[in-house]
Amino acid sequence: ISNNSNEASVRTWTDVPSSPPLNVMVTSVNPSSLMVSWQIPSEIGRNGPVTSHAIRYNRTGPSNTETVTSGTTHIISGLVAFVEYSVEVAAMTVNGTGPFSNSVVEVSGQDVPSA
């Protein structure tokens, strides 16, 4: 048995994230917009460099999805005033989209009454 050993470095392939983004928060900005913020998944749950995030939101019926290619904050606009929206965020790598976060519910801002 030799006392000399060679160091070996191994790199695994990337994969879709196995963890959702952390600390997802949603706040009303104005009657037609919500601001979504989050933290990227923990390093062990990223499974490679995060290239973008998917934001899924809905009030009733089918979900809408927007892709955010940079940062960890996004404004969803064009919403109906004073309506409850459910928002979820997922991290994405070159391999695909990971799991979505738990839903965060927020009511869009109240609009000024029309005359």
Side-chain angles (χ1 to χ4, degrees), residues 3 7-9 15 19 21 24 28 41-42 59-60 62 77-78 87 94 97 112:
N3 288 337
E7 188 176 307
S9 178
D15 199 0
S19 298
V24 176
S28 178
S42 64
R59 55 185 188 154
T60 54
S77 57
V87 180
V94 295
T97 305
V112 176

Side-chain angles (χ1 to χ4, degrees), residues 12-50:
T12 59
W13 294 99
T14 61
D15 199 0
V16 297
S18 55
S19 298
L22 306 168
N23 302 319
V24 176
M25 295 181 16
V26 182
T27 42
S28 178
V29 176
N30 59 46
S32 63
S33 301
L34 295 174
M35 181 173 68
V36 184
S37 62
W38 63 92
Q39 294 174 332
I40 61 174
S42 64
E43 189 171 351
I44 198 162
R46 290 181 208 157
N47 298 328
V50 173

Side-chain angles (χ1 to χ4, degrees), residues 21-95:
L22 306 168
N23 302 319
V24 176
M25 295 181 16
V26 182
T27 42
S28 178
V29 176
N30 59 46
S32 63
S33 301
L34 295 174
M35 181 173 68
V36 184
S37 62
W38 63 92
Q39 294 174 332
I40 61 174
S42 64
E43 189 171 351
I44 198 162
R46 290 181 208 157
N47 298 328
V50 173
T51 57
S52 56
H53 290 87
I55 299 176
R56 184 167 62 190
Y57 63 96
N58 70 354
R59 55 185 188 154
T60 54
S63 297
N64 296 302
T65 303
E66 295 185 10
T67 301
V68 179
T69 56
S70 65
T72 55
T73 352
H74 181 69
I75 302 285
I76 302 171
S77 57
L79 305 176
V80 177
F82 208 56
V83 169
E84 187 175 85
Y85 284 88
S86 173
V87 180
E88 303 167 330
V89 182
M92 302 167 76
T93 65
V94 295
N95 300 88

